[in-house]
Amino acid sequence: MSRTRNQEILIKINPKNDDSNLLYNASENIYHEIRTFLEKKYPNEFFLHKREKVGIDFFTKKFLLNENFTFVKYGDGELICMIGGKGENCDYHPYSEKLKDELIKSFSNLFQNFDDVYLAEWEDNLIKTREEFISSNDFHPKYADYECFLTLDSNLKDRKLLDFYKLLKNSERKKVFIGPKKLTNVKGMLNIDEFINVPIINAYSEYESVINELKNIGVEKDNIYILCCSMMSCVVCSDLKKLNSEITILDIGSGFDPIFGVKTRPKQPSAVTCFNYYREIIPPTFLFEKSKHALNVLNKSLGED
């Protein structure tokens, strides 16, 4: 985060209507118009910098238009590893020199070589450290809402997240999921074609076998990859983009944990709340272990007795 020594004005431009496509279709033109006006009225007076950020509505539009994109989460754990931290992240995945090097290489590859990659921007801790790492390496990432694909209480107040996952489920594009066995039921929830199992702790220890399995499956145009494998996700994202740039990648992180696993983050809703929200796309064979009430809701929705 850059320091301010004189004075600056930060202006946000957001559509008043969620359905508006004006920014989606013409953000560069709008910025150019503003820049041209200021430079003409106040020649040689200001430095101008554009910093764009997108969210769930943007990615939904991308998906509806069959436009590929990559959403990747270099969170505080990845950042600590990248700057040489010791120990492990909040999910007990260990840091290592090898992982550090691979994360830095993957960051450089994704944000220097591809225009359709969006960095999930968190707003909690280590923000200054993240900004200093990005600026010192002269990276210029496009930003996205960090929480837009996560199953959190705040995201269950409307249908935006559900509608996105419904689009994903109903898509005929080939879908590959990389994550731990505890999330097996995501296969039915999203109609996953290929499920690659990784260890729930230290997924990176199986990195080579995961890459080989992905290559054997085939990294084909318009495939969709959904990743829930901690810090390894970032490295796999980079490898996939090298193999084929015309794919969609979603680094979901802990997004499915409260649905099929257990709560792993403070802001995640209860299992019952998750079930009620997602019941339109939850597989009917899924046995909701913690609540007979939730199972009854599903049976009624299927017209069963």
Side-chain angles (χ1 to χ4, degrees):
M1 189 174 296
S2 61
R3 294 177 60 190
T4 302
R5 297 187 180 275
N6 190 333
Q7 187 175 355
E8 65 181 17
I9 299 175
L10 300 178
I11 300 173
K12 286 187 177 182
I13 301 177
N14 297 306
K16 291 184 177 180
N17 185 346
D18 286 347
D19 296 328
S20 172
N21 289 320
L22 186 56
L23 278 183
Y24 184 87
N25 294 326
S27 63
E28 288 294 334
N29 291 338
I30 291 171
Y31 173 69
H32 178 72
E33 289 176 10
I34 295 170
R35 185 186 186 103
T36 300
F37 170 79
L38 290 173
E39 288 178 342
K40 184 176 180 180
K41 188 172 181 63
Y42 306 104
N44 302 316
E45 284 290 335
F46 302 124
F47 290 108
L48 298 176
H49 172 70
K50 179 171 73 73
R51 191 176 189 278
E52 197 167 349
K53 185 174 179 179
V54 300
I56 187 70
D57 290 341
F58 176 88
F59 292 120
T60 299
K61 291 172 184 175
K62 280 275 190 187
F63 204 88
L64 285 169
L65 293 171
N66 204 35
E67 296 179 355
N68 286 306
F69 62 89
T70 292
F71 172 89
V72 61
K73 294 171 62 182
Y74 286 82
D76 50 2
E78 286 83 354
L79 179 61
I80 291 171
C81 184
M82 290 162 73
I83 61 177
K86 307 300 180 184
E88 59 193 20
N89 72 355
C90 63
D91 295 316
Y92 311 108
H93 293 256
Y95 304 139
S96 67
E97 282 297 315
K98 183 178 180 182
L99 180 57
K100 168 189 171 182
D101 292 341
E102 291 302 316
L103 283 171
I104 293 173
K105 289 178 185 176
S106 68
F107 197 101
S108 176
N109 176 54
L110 288 170
F111 296 107
Q112 288 185 337
N113 298 325
F114 303 99
D115 292 329
D116 64 345
V117 179
Y118 297 85
L119 174 62
E121 182 185 32
W122 76 90
E123 299 178 351
D124 295 322
N125 55 348
L126 297 177
I127 298 174
K128 188 172 182 179
T129 304
R130 176 192 67 206
E131 296 303 321
E132 287 178 350
F133 173 82
I134 291 173
S135 62
S136 64
N137 288 281
D138 198 30
F139 295 127
H140 302 280
K142 296 179 179 179
Y143 290 95
D145 173 30
Y146 189 88
E147 299 181 341
C148 66
F149 297 119
L150 295 180
T151 299
L152 303 173
D153 287 316
S154 59
N155 282 341
L156 271 57
K157 294 178 180 179
D158 56 45
R159 289 181 55 94
K160 292 181 184 291
L161 185 61
L162 172 62
D163 288 342
F164 180 86
Y165 283 135
K166 284 182 70 175
L167 285 173
L168 190 57
K169 179 186 180 78
N170 295 327
S171 173
E172 295 183 357
R173 295 165 63 181
K174 187 172 185 178
K175 285 164 279 188
V176 181
F177 183 89
I178 307 167
K181 187 178 180 180
K182 71 174 184 177
L183 298 179
T184 301
N185 283 296
V186 174
K187 291 168 61 176
M189 177 183 176
L190 298 179
N191 289 338
I192 299 297
D193 299 288
E194 301 284 350
F195 188 101
I196 299 178
N197 183 36
V198 300
I200 196 168
I201 294 178
N202 196 10
Y204 187 65
S205 65
E206 295 296 321
Y207 165 71
E208 295 294 340
S209 63
V210 168
I211 293 302
N212 288 333
E213 191 166 352
L214 285 167
K215 289 179 179 178
N216 289 335
I217 292 170
V219 184
E220 301 166 350
K221 180 181 177 181
D222 291 333
N223 279 5
I224 299 171
Y225 297 87
I226 304 162
L227 289 76
C228 297
C229 43
S230 193
M231 295 181 288
M232 182 177 71
S233 293
C234 301
V235 182
V236 174
C237 282
S238 176
D239 291 337
L240 287 169
K241 292 290 283 185
K242 288 179 183 177
L243 292 169
N244 194 327
S245 63
E246 297 182 88
I247 56 176
T248 289
I249 306 175
L250 296 169
D251 179 5
I252 301 298
S254 61
F256 299 113
D257 285 358
I259 311 171
F260 299 115
V262 295
K263 291 179 64 172
T264 55
R265 300 292 189 276
K267 294 186 287 185
Q268 290 174 339
S270 69
V272 172
T273 300
C274 292
F275 187 87
N276 287 331
Y277 182 78
Y278 287 114
R279 64 179 180 271
E280 294 179 38
I281 56 175
I282 293 288
T285 55
F286 174 61
L287 179 60
F288 197 73
E289 299 174 353
K290 295 183 179 180
S291 174
K292 292 183 179 180
H293 165 70
L295 185 58
N296 290 334
V297 170
L298 176 60
N299 289 336
K300 290 179 181 179
S301 71
L302 296 173
E304 297 176 3
D305 296 328

